[in-house]
Amino acid sequence: MTIPNNLPVSDNGQEIYKILYRHNFDDLAIYFQEYNAKTSRKCCIVSDSHVASLYMEDVNTMASEYFNKVTQYVFPEGEASKNLNTVHDLYVELIENHFDRNDLLIALGGGVVGDLCGFSAATYLRGIKFIQIPTSLLADVDSSIGGKTGVDFDAYKNMVGAFHMPCQVYINTNTLTTLDERQYYAGMGEVLKSALIKDADLFTYLLNNKELIQAKDTEAIQTMIYRSDLVKKNVVEFDPKETKGERAKLNFGHTLGHAIEKYMNFKCLHGECVSIGSTIASIISFNKGYLSQDACNSICKYIGEFMQVPKLPEDIDIDGIINLTKNDKKADGKLLKFILLNEIGDAIIDTSVNDSDMKKAFETYMKDWNK
Amino acid sequence: MTIPNNLPVSDNGQEIYKILYRHNFDDLAIYFQEYNAKTSRKCCIVSDSHVASLYMEDVNTMASEYFNKVTQYVFPEGEASKNLNTVHDLYVELIENHFDRNDLLIALGGGVVGDLCGFSAATYLRGIKFIQIPTSLLADVDSSIGGKTGVDFDAYKNMVGAFHMPCQVYINTNTLTTLDERQYYAGMGEVLKSALIKDADLFTYLLNNKELIQAKDTEAIQTMIYRSDLVKKNVVEFDPKETKGERAKLNFGHTLGHAIEKYMNFKCLHGECVSIGSTIASIISFNKGYLSQDACNSICKYIGEFMQVPKLPEDIDIDGIINLTKNDKKADGKLLKFILLNEIGDAIIDTSVNDSDMKKAFETYMKDWNK
């Protein structure tokens, strides 16, 4: 597969931003120069304590050459920081430094940084520009496309948020070398999901290139990120605000994934739970006569043997987890829209999946694949 | 002037909502029925303590007939409530009542209620629908069009916000009968502004119908609200997010108006300060050779003699107020874009207005019109 070094993303037929695929931060200079060409402007680099310790200096040095003023806002790493208090403190930082509508926020980090910085950009002065510099695989393939921003509210994930597009996404694949293994394979959960719902060739690529993927080979990484982004871009461009149903297909693996995530008290990573959810959804797809036995096995084997998903407790309360899916149901109207696979690369929305379908497939998963 | 009973507002060429002009709440039933036709839904009526005491029962009774569940969220009246704490409490109310993306918020009240409820709707679950039932003249002609929502942050007005369109605006002009005189004339400040920048016929109408306006005659009220809304609709449709400059014309009277508002520690109402700012901007327009002496006098006289603007202190610090306009400047880039009148009904954006232009006109105002 030959992979372009950028991917344009449009809204309503109009290009809004490009995702750039690079191996270093060098081209940020070009972007900063262009952005700042007209007049002296300010930027604020928003990051978490972990990512800041790795990359803040590089990005800050580069920004300082082109912006009139560069400030930094760093918060403690982890989902616990993704709340309105952190947003509040960021507003204060921006106000104290007289940020106006022409200034820029830079989200340097994983999904938490991107979501929080994006929401702050969406709501400060009714919206200012921001760019994303994702540093995790999950952020590369998920949170950096589609304009969803938000923070958690009490125990509720992403309860408060807005749709707000970045004006640039700069992916430096080299940052993945500092990502720990578990986070890396969790990110692959979303890559695999994209392949399964829309891109059979990508699934074949993932099957055939396990060693390169494991070794974080630059070209392999770039290939899977680009192809995965392409799937999401096409869905999001067609259904930007989840009003047409099409965007629901991106929730493949997520109905049970979210429920498992909650049941495990967020001790498993989001991407890991999505992978488990994808396995069970594939088994349901087979049980319902859509997916072939071979295809289903191929998916289960890839996830179960290659993707290092955590082992669920043997005494897991399957009924309890199925009950937790009712929240997803509620959030989407009154009907549970379950995403199944007609075949690999072809997702369908099914409203007939009931509790016993889920339970049966979950039991198969626990017996055959929970290792 | 014959006035239609509704005004459609579009975004990107597509109709987003209608503003309905009515004399009672009867037609709300039709809307509620339509909105709720597909499935059982919930709504939350958001209001302040003052407006709730007047109209909550009516609206609640009507909503209860058509919605599965109706909740109310009432906060203490006044600008002091327009902050993130109130939004936070409203989120809690919505979460506790399991509001999802298909449910509806109803903003029943003036600008504070509309701005706060709109911002909550914009950010709860990344955006849910809301309708506006404005109950003040200012809300009828200003905050109910254009999709600007927001709250104050510390001492900064509307610092945090979002663009989020209502799905309906229901103006019951009869609610203005309970509006106190001062609020009524303050609202007229924005009506007059719309006339001055875009609609010379409306200005003539305002001049010729002082008695009817004073008596809050239903037809006169509806005429001035509709014509004023029409001006704002046309500007906002052309420049929805203040990126083309055209929307800046709506800031006529606001540069000095905001500064006076701040200088007076918000003891004068927003609309009153806009009226004073409009007078001074008209004098600058005359001094710079745009507006005729007659037209300028006609404006100053209308505001000074009919509109009951408060008298500013004789020892007011004009230089201090002019300094306060620098904040507006900052928020709009580096150049002060001052809105002047070429003639009545024709606003222009002027970047040559300096401190001494403002001072000279302000002194004329204090001498001739501050009574």
Side-chain angles (χ1 to χ4, degrees), chain A residues 8-23:
Chain A
V9 182
S10 297
D11 188 26
N12 245 317
Q14 196 183 356
E15 184 181 318
I16 304 290
Y17 64 94
K18 279 192 171 65
I19 305 173
L20 304 181
Y21 302 93
R22 299 292 187 270
H23 312 308

Side-chain angles (χ1 to χ4, degrees), chain A residues 100-101 123 125 159 161 242, chain B residues 101 123 125 159 161 242 330:
Chain A
D100 69 33
R101 282 190 194 153
T123 52
L125 294 172
M159 201 69 184
E242 274 180 333
Chain B
R101 283 191 192 150
T123 52
L125 295 173
M159 201 69 185
E242 274 180 335
K330 203 176 270 165

Side-chain angles (χ1 to χ4, degrees), chain A residues 244-302:
Chain A
K244 291 181 195 159
E246 184 68 12
R247 191 158 175 164
K249 291 183 181 171
L250 296 173
N251 289 333
F252 179 72
H254 281 63
T255 301
L256 281 162
H258 278 151
I260 294 166
E261 206 177 347
K262 260 182 239 166
Y263 177 87
M264 298 295 290
N265 261 322
F266 298 94
K267 275 175 215 144
C268 297
L269 299 174
H270 174 73
E272 292 171 339
C273 297
V274 168
S275 292
I276 297 171
S278 296
T279 314
I280 301 170
S282 300
I283 297 169
I284 298 175
S285 304
F286 165 68
N287 288 344
K288 286 203 158 257
Y290 296 121
L291 201 60
S292 72
Q293 175 85 65
D294 274 1
C296 182
N297 274 347
S298 171
I299 297 167
C300 293
K301 196 158 178 271
Y302 192 83

Side-chain angles (χ1 to χ4, degrees), chain B residues 107-370:
Chain B
L108 173 67
V112 169
V113 171
D115 285 1
L116 184 141
C117 178
F119 179 67
S120 306
T123 52
Y124 182 72
L125 295 173
R126 294 197 193 93
I128 64 172
K129 290 185 175 170
F130 80 116
I131 72 167
Q132 299 249 29
I133 306 180
T135 59
S136 74
L137 182 55
L138 192 73
D140 290 343
V141 299
D142 193 26
S143 56
S144 62
I145 314 182
K148 281 190 178 178
T149 71
V151 294
D152 305 333
F153 188 82
D154 295 343
Y156 303 91
K157 287 193 76 178
N158 297 319
M159 201 69 185
V160 173
F163 284 92
H164 190 59
M165 298 282 186
C167 55
Q168 176 98 276
V169 177
Y170 191 101
I171 296 179
N172 169 1
T173 50
N174 201 40
T175 59
L176 298 191
T177 57
T178 58
L179 191 66
D180 77 39
E181 291 291 290
R182 199 178 158 194
Q183 293 280 356
Y184 180 68
Y185 283 99
M188 278 210 59
E190 296 283 353
V191 174
L192 183 74
K193 179 205 75 179
S194 292
L196 293 177
I197 64 170
K198 292 274 180 187
D199 187 348
D201 288 348
L202 174 57
F203 183 64
T204 307
Y205 181 88
L206 296 176
L207 281 181
N208 292 342
N209 292 277
K210 285 187 215 161
E211 281 170 27
L212 290 174
I213 291 167
Q214 201 162 23
K216 294 183 180 169
D217 171 79
T218 301
E219 203 185 309
I221 285 177
Q222 192 160 327
T223 301
M224 66 183 190
I225 295 175
Y226 176 83
R227 294 290 289 232
S228 183
D229 284 355
L230 192 59
V231 167
K232 187 158 183 195
K233 163 202 151 88
N234 287 332
V235 172
V236 163
E237 285 183 350
F238 178 75
D239 183 15
K241 293 205 174 168
E242 274 180 335
T243 50
K244 292 182 194 159
E246 184 69 12
R247 192 158 174 165
K249 291 183 181 171
L250 296 173
N251 289 333
F252 179 72
H254 281 63
T255 301
L256 280 161
H258 278 151
I260 293 166
E261 207 177 346
K262 261 182 237 166
Y263 177 86
M264 298 296 290
N265 260 321
F266 299 94
K267 275 174 215 143
C268 296
L269 299 174
H270 173 74
E272 292 171 341
C273 297
V274 168
S275 292
I276 298 171
S278 297
T279 314
I280 302 171
S282 300
I283 298 169
I284 298 174
S285 304
F286 165 68
N287 288 343
K288 285 202 159 262
Y290 297 120
L291 201 60
S292 72
Q293 175 85 67
D294 274 1
C296 181
N297 275 347
S298 171
I299 297 167
C300 293
K301 197 159 177 271
Y302 193 83
I303 296 174
E305 295 179 0
F306 177 64
M307 283 180 58
Q308 309 189 8
V309 290
K311 189 170 187 285
L312 297 177
E314 295 288 355
D315 61 347
I316 197 164
D317 174 11
I318 295 180
D319 293 325
I321 291 176
I322 290 170
N323 261 331
L324 287 173
T325 66
K326 311 299 179 197
N327 286 343
D328 260 42
K329 186 175 167 182
K330 203 176 270 165
D332 239 337
K334 306 304 159 198
L335 213 57
L336 179 60
K337 290 176 183 165
F338 209 99
I339 313 302
L340 297 178
L341 298 179
N342 190 35
E343 52 185 73
I344 289 171
D346 180 19
I348 49 172
I349 300 172
D350 189 296
T351 54
S352 76
V353 175
N354 59 29
D355 290 1
S356 105
D357 294 329
M358 283 190 260
K359 186 166 184 174
K360 189 179 160 197
F362 211 130
E363 284 168 351
T364 305
Y365 176 81
M366 291 302 291
K367 186 164 65 69
D368 295 343
W369 302 104
N370 186 48

Side-chain angles (χ1 to χ4, degrees), chain A residues 62-81:
Chain A
M62 201 159 279
S64 300
E65 273 190 55
Y66 298 99
F67 284 84
N68 193 29
K69 183 174 186 176
V70 179
T71 67
Q72 304 176 359
Y73 179 75
V74 177
F75 58 82
E77 68 171 311
E79 186 84 20
S81 292

